[in-house]
Amino acid sequence: MSNLPSSQPSDQPGRKPRVALVFGGRSSEHGVSVVTAASVLRAIDRSKYDVLPIGITTDGRWALTSDDPDRMAITDRRMPTVEQVTDHDGTVVLPVDPANREVVYSEPGLVPKALGDVDVVFPVLHGPYGEDGTLQGLLELSGVPYVGAGVLASAVGMDKEYMKRVFISFGLPVGPYLVIRPRDWENDREAARRGVVEFAADHGWPLFVKPARAGSSMGISKVEDASGLDEAIEEARRHDPKVIIESLLRGREIECGVLEFEDGPRASLPAEIPPVTAHDFYDFEAKYIDSAEGIVPAPLTPEQTAEVQRLAVAAFDSVSCEGLVRADFFLLDSGEFVINEINTMPGFTPISMYPRMWQESGVGYPELVDKLIQAALRRRTGLR
């Protein structure tokens, strides 16, 4: 245990705020989270913050990990894992007492060791068990401030059905969709299929079949006709038993970042995702393996830029978000913007669209990381 971080008392004069960077997790987006964590480790100002990297393994163990971002890179088109950067066999335990923010490291057969107080958690988990309100609820119980959306906004931002319902209630433009709940598919597949075919009769083929609560384009299929439905639904259900069906929206893919400043949320310059010729759509491999290039800033008119920025901030506010959001839109051939979804913890490597949009808006990657930590330190947990 000689390589463990030293404990720092919370009352130590001049002590730098300690940031627990939590990454990995049990979702299918585990590897994306590890790559994001590497970028944050490189960017965070070590003269201003102490950093405690904590990885959650694919089976859910909280582990003390290496502080070396080079070990967290994509290698031979394979995503990294927390297991690859964990040098210890023990478990990290966050406090559950709001009066105590001390993190403890426990290893079988050895006396538990205090790793010091944590002032703020920077969770860079993507997908279920981290981006969906579960980790946020734990941190609320612990009374530890954290970067990003709270419990409600995280849960709504992860569930595409309820996200769209909230958007509609706030008057935001949303495309046609249909939901297949677990019992719909398990109890009467024929009726579920018939519902999809009727939906396609109204809105046309192809359709996109998606897990309702997943991100990074995991489990998404583009279906050209009814013959491909079963396979696509089963693929989506590998990630989430609830499935959402969306019609094809013909137009340009536009993204916009929102960041919380001291005076409130502001929108970045938008970006455009051009058609990906080597892929059927902007899927996981296009995003992370082949690094498909977006256009920043998007070639829009000043009026279009202002409108998508307005809609992005409205989407941020509609779910009571905090910290950051990436809002994804379609600019239809008619000239109307339709919001597709938001990401409360978007891809966060320097080449990811969210940091690139802010880079073009005058906020570089290290400053972006700093602003998110400072926003978290200003907030309190709970209802205070």
Side-chain angles (χ1 to χ4, degrees), residues 32-369:
V32 179
S33 176
V34 177
V35 173
T36 294
S39 299
V40 175
L41 283 175
R42 288 190 178 96
I44 196 166
D45 186 350
R46 302 306 180 103
S47 69
K48 193 171 182 178
Y49 304 105
D50 281 325
V51 182
L52 182 66
I54 299 174
I56 302 177
T57 63
T58 51
D59 62 0
R61 180 172 68 91
W62 290 53
L64 189 63
T65 67
S66 167
D67 196 357
D68 180 4
D70 290 338
R71 295 175 60 183
M72 305 178 185
I74 298 173
T75 306
D76 297 328
R77 300 177 66 87
R78 292 195 305 271
M79 302 299 286
T81 67
V82 165
E83 285 82 352
Q84 294 170 358
V85 294
T86 300
D87 298 325
H88 306 281
D89 296 328
T91 300
V92 173
V93 180
L94 288 182
V96 292
D97 178 0
N100 173 25
R101 293 183 178 176
E102 190 170 71
V103 174
V104 174
Y105 175 80
S106 178
E107 194 167 354
L110 298 176
V111 177
K113 177 180 174 60
L115 300 182
D117 287 2
V118 165
D119 298 287
V120 62
V121 171
F122 196 144
V124 292
L125 294 110
H126 304 297
Y129 312 111
E131 192 184 347
D132 59 350
T134 50
L135 175 63
Q136 290 74 15
L138 172 64
L139 296 173
E140 291 284 346
L141 288 172
S142 303
V144 180
Y146 54 93
V147 169
V151 175
L152 174 67
S154 297
V156 172
M158 179 54 54
D159 190 312
K160 294 178 176 63
E161 176 193 2
Y162 287 97
M163 180 197 311
K164 292 176 188 292
R165 288 180 180 269
V166 170
F167 290 161
I168 291 168
S169 73
F170 277 81
L172 296 173
V174 170
Y177 70 95
L178 174 73
V179 174
I180 300 178
R181 301 183 186 283
R183 65 175 178 270
D184 298 335
W185 188 248
E186 292 160 8
N187 295 343
D188 194 342
R189 291 191 179 192
E190 186 55 41
R193 289 189 202 97
R194 189 164 56 248
V196 177
V197 171
E198 291 171 357
F199 177 81
D202 291 335
H203 302 289
W205 299 93
L207 300 176
F208 287 94
V209 180
K210 304 179 177 181
R213 294 162 293 192
S216 297
S217 298
M218 291 284 192
I220 297 179
S221 302
K222 183 179 179 182
V223 179
E224 300 291 344
D225 54 49
S227 66
L229 270 180
D230 279 26
E231 183 180 355
I233 291 170
E234 290 294 349
E235 172 60 21
R237 281 171 53 85
R238 289 200 312 110
H239 301 268
D240 183 357
K242 184 167 77 167
V243 175
I244 190 165
I245 313 288
E246 296 175 351
S247 63
L248 173 67
L249 297 177
R250 300 187 185 280
R252 299 160 61 188
E253 293 191 46
I254 306 294
E255 299 184 348
C256 189
V258 179
L259 177 64
E260 183 182 1
F261 288 75
E262 289 192 53
D263 60 351
R266 302 181 200 170
S268 70
L269 289 171
E272 179 169 3
I273 308 299
V276 186
T277 56
H279 298 264
D280 204 22
F281 60 95
Y282 193 43
D283 61 7
F284 178 85
E285 288 209 353
K287 287 180 180 179
Y288 298 106
I289 304 299
D290 295 328
S291 301
E293 286 292 328
I295 303 169
V296 189
L300 301 172
T301 66
E303 294 77 15
Q304 289 172 327
T305 295
E307 175 64 2
V308 77
Q309 289 175 324
R310 181 189 72 80
L311 290 170
V313 172
F316 181 95
D317 286 337
S318 73
V319 298
S320 300
C321 205
E322 296 171 293
L324 73 163
V325 145
R326 193 194 73 228
D328 300 345
F329 299 86
F330 289 101
L331 176 55
L332 304 184
D333 295 339
S334 64
E336 177 190 10
F337 281 103
V338 170
I339 186 165
N340 185 39
E341 64 181 49
I342 58 171
N343 273 268
T344 56
M345 182 50 70
F348 210 79
T349 71
I351 64 170
S352 297
M353 296 311 299
Y354 183 86
R356 287 185 59 202
M357 288 187 286
W358 278 109
Q359 177 75 46
E360 290 294 323
S361 304
V363 181
Y365 193 92
E367 183 184 1
L368 185 59
V369 169

